[in-house]
Amino acid sequence: MDRQNFTTLYEASGMNDTQEMPGLSGPSALEHFKAIQDFVKVVSPITFCLGYPLNWLVFYIFSRSKLKTTSSSRYIAAIAFVDNVVIFTYFMIHLSDYYNVPVYNIYGACQFLNYFNCIGIFLSIWYVTALVIDKFIGLYWPVKRSEYCTEFRAKCVTVLFAIFSIVMYHYLLWTVGNKVNGHTTLCMPYHAPSLMETWSFLNHVDYVIVAIIPYLTIVILLGLIIVKLCTYKSNVRQVRGSLRGRLPSVNTEQEFKTMPLVIAVAVTTIALGLLFNIYRIFRIMDQNTHTVALCFYQISFACKFFSYVMTSESFRDHLTMLCRQCIYHGPRIPLCRGHSESEPTTFISVNQQTHSSTEDHCIIEGTV
């Protein structure tokens, strides 16, 4: 929301190649700027086309399969859902900025795109934070895990964060609007002093609750989790190498097995979003770096699927099972189904089975 639409301003202001863009100096810088804009123009649609369906796939597996019974799965499913909200809103803004699609000419599009974009960004980083906190409690206070790290509490946390974000960002619905600049429609804050002050103050609050608090929380807890993980592996090697000692319980071992997934998601979120959030807070980089940082920030919402594939064996198994079902069965009705009294009884003898069939036939026995 706080970014400047330099591509649209460039076209709207009628600048030629000899004029300087804001934050750029010299013809070489302008050439770099155009090259980066062309790069982003191609990368953003690819990010949307890959990330959008893959996030829905992640959401389906973690919310509809056997994996949904854990609290971590609820957070991951919520992350995938809100990431798609962010990807969609960024793609709509991208169509307006780079392809001259009149998105902002639609009544309310400016306000609602920014509204849902900020809600999605807030929920995504805080759901990742909740996932890290969930695993941190399970490692350092395993006795409390059955009380605090439950599926029901995870649902409550996701709903409470969603309600808070809906209330928090409602100011975007009445402090932001369209501004016609020549033949271009821009989406920006209203210039009325009272509205501009409100927008600026709440935008700085957004910096704190999105770009500072969750990132610091993730970094600190992630460091403690890695220390605990290293200590656990060292203890396991010592126990297995000695005649005495007791191996960790099955629940503890399962808890540590899921750590690579949490670490991968947290590291990906921080690594790809840190540069953009540094720009948001300190404004210490030029426009070229800001454009690249924003591009990586958008990619962070689309690439978590690959983290799950690389770090979670359970996710890979369920993904393989889902692919097999789609390939071999598709939308067909299962062969073995319950018998209804209204339907006639069907008798199938053993001799009617064929060994050439790849599927098991149901043998129904009955009496007249």
Side-chain angles (χ1 to χ4, degrees):
M1 182 55 232
D2 58 327
R3 67 182 180 87
Q4 288 181 296
N5 187 346
F6 280 96
T7 305
T8 306
L9 291 177
Y10 179 86
E11 297 174 353
S13 58
M15 292 184 178
N16 54 38
D17 294 342
T18 61
Q19 292 176 297
E20 295 182 356
M21 289 288 294
L24 301 175
S25 60
S28 60
L30 186 58
E31 292 178 0
H32 292 161
F33 174 79
K34 290 182 177 180
I36 291 174
Q37 294 296 312
D38 293 338
F39 172 76
V40 174
K41 185 177 182 179
V42 176
V43 170
S44 187
I46 295 176
T47 302
F48 175 79
C49 293
L50 286 178
Y52 198 75
L54 291 181
N55 279 340
W56 282 125
L57 184 60
V58 172
F59 175 79
Y60 178 83
I61 291 176
F62 280 102
S63 63
R64 297 300 179 184
S65 68
K66 295 180 180 180
L67 296 177
K68 68 179 182 179
T69 56
T70 62
S71 57
S72 301
S73 298
R74 291 299 178 179
Y75 290 127
I76 294 174
I79 291 170
F81 182 85
V82 297
D83 280 355
N84 265 355
V85 174
V86 177
I87 292 173
F88 178 78
T89 54
Y90 269 132
F91 182 66
M92 291 294 102
I93 296 172
H94 182 87
L95 291 179
S96 175
D97 291 352
Y98 293 90
Y99 292 94
N100 296 324
V101 177
V103 175
Y104 293 141
N105 291 342
I106 302 174
Y107 180 78
C110 170
Q111 292 85 347
F112 281 100
L113 281 177
N114 283 282
Y115 179 63
F116 286 110
N117 179 263
C118 289
I119 287 178
I121 290 173
F122 171 86
L123 292 178
S124 181
I125 188 61
W126 276 106
Y127 286 161
V128 173
T129 306
L131 176 64
V132 174
I133 294 175
D134 179 84
K135 288 301 177 183
F136 178 80
I137 294 175
L139 287 182
Y140 280 85
W141 296 286
V143 179
K144 297 290 185 180
R145 173 167 177 74
S146 59
E147 180 181 355
Y148 294 105
C149 303
T150 63
E151 182 186 0
F152 175 74
R153 286 185 180 271
K155 291 180 180 179
C156 292
V157 170
T158 55
V159 171
L160 289 176
F161 273 127
I163 294 174
F164 176 82
S165 63
I166 291 172
V167 176
M168 168 66 192
Y169 293 101
H170 80 281
Y171 72 93
L172 294 173
L173 299 176
W174 47 272
T175 60
V176 176
N178 294 336
K179 179 182 178 181
V180 179
N181 189 348
H183 299 286
T184 305
T185 302
L186 303 179
C187 181
M188 55 195 309
Y190 291 119
H191 290 290
S194 59
L195 295 179
M196 180 62 73
E197 291 177 0
T198 302
W199 177 85
S200 180
F201 172 76
L202 294 176
N203 215 32
H204 283 82
V205 174
D206 178 64
Y207 297 162
V208 177
I209 64 176
V210 171
I212 297 178
I213 295 178
Y215 276 79
L216 289 178
T217 304
I218 292 174
V219 170
I220 293 173
L221 296 184
L222 199 59
L224 295 174
I225 288 174
I226 293 174
V227 170
K228 189 75 171 180
L229 186 62
C230 295
T231 305
Y232 165 78
K233 290 186 176 181
S234 177
N235 293 337
V236 169
R237 284 194 298 266
Q238 292 178 3
V239 170
R240 289 177 177 174
S242 63
L243 298 177
R244 297 181 180 180
R246 185 178 63 179
L247 289 173
S249 63
V250 177
N251 292 334
T252 303
E253 187 175 356
Q254 186 65 28
E255 192 72 28
F256 278 99
K257 283 184 179 180
T258 59
M259 281 300 107
L261 183 147
V262 178
I263 294 174
V265 172
V267 170
T268 301
T269 302
I270 293 175
L272 295 178
L274 184 61
L275 188 61
F276 177 72
N277 284 292
I278 290 176
Y279 171 83
R280 291 188 67 194
I281 299 171
F282 301 105
R283 309 282 181 168
I284 57 176
M285 61 184 69
D286 58 23
Q287 178 58 26
N288 288 336
T289 309
H290 167 250
T291 305
V292 175
L294 179 59
C295 181
F296 282 118
Y297 189 58
Q298 296 179 27
I299 293 174
S300 68
F301 298 100
C303 67
K304 295 185 178 72
F305 169 86
F306 303 102
S307 299
Y308 305 140
V309 171
M310 291 186 294
T311 58
S312 176
E313 183 179 356
S314 299
F315 179 78
R316 291 196 299 268
D317 292 341
H318 283 80
L319 180 62
T320 303
M321 187 184 306
L322 180 62
C323 293
R324 287 176 179 175
Q325 290 176 354
C326 294
I327 293 173
Y328 293 110
H329 299 284
R332 291 185 300 174
I333 302 175
L335 293 176
C336 300
R337 60 179 180 176
H339 177 68
S340 176
E341 295 182 357
S342 60
E343 296 177 355
T345 304
T346 305
F347 296 89
I348 303 177
S349 65
V350 178
N351 295 330
Q352 289 177 303
Q353 300 183 62
T354 58
H355 297 285
S356 60
S357 175
T358 58
E359 299 177 346
D360 296 333
H361 292 268
C362 299
I363 301 176
I364 305 176
E365 297 180 356
T367 58
V368 178

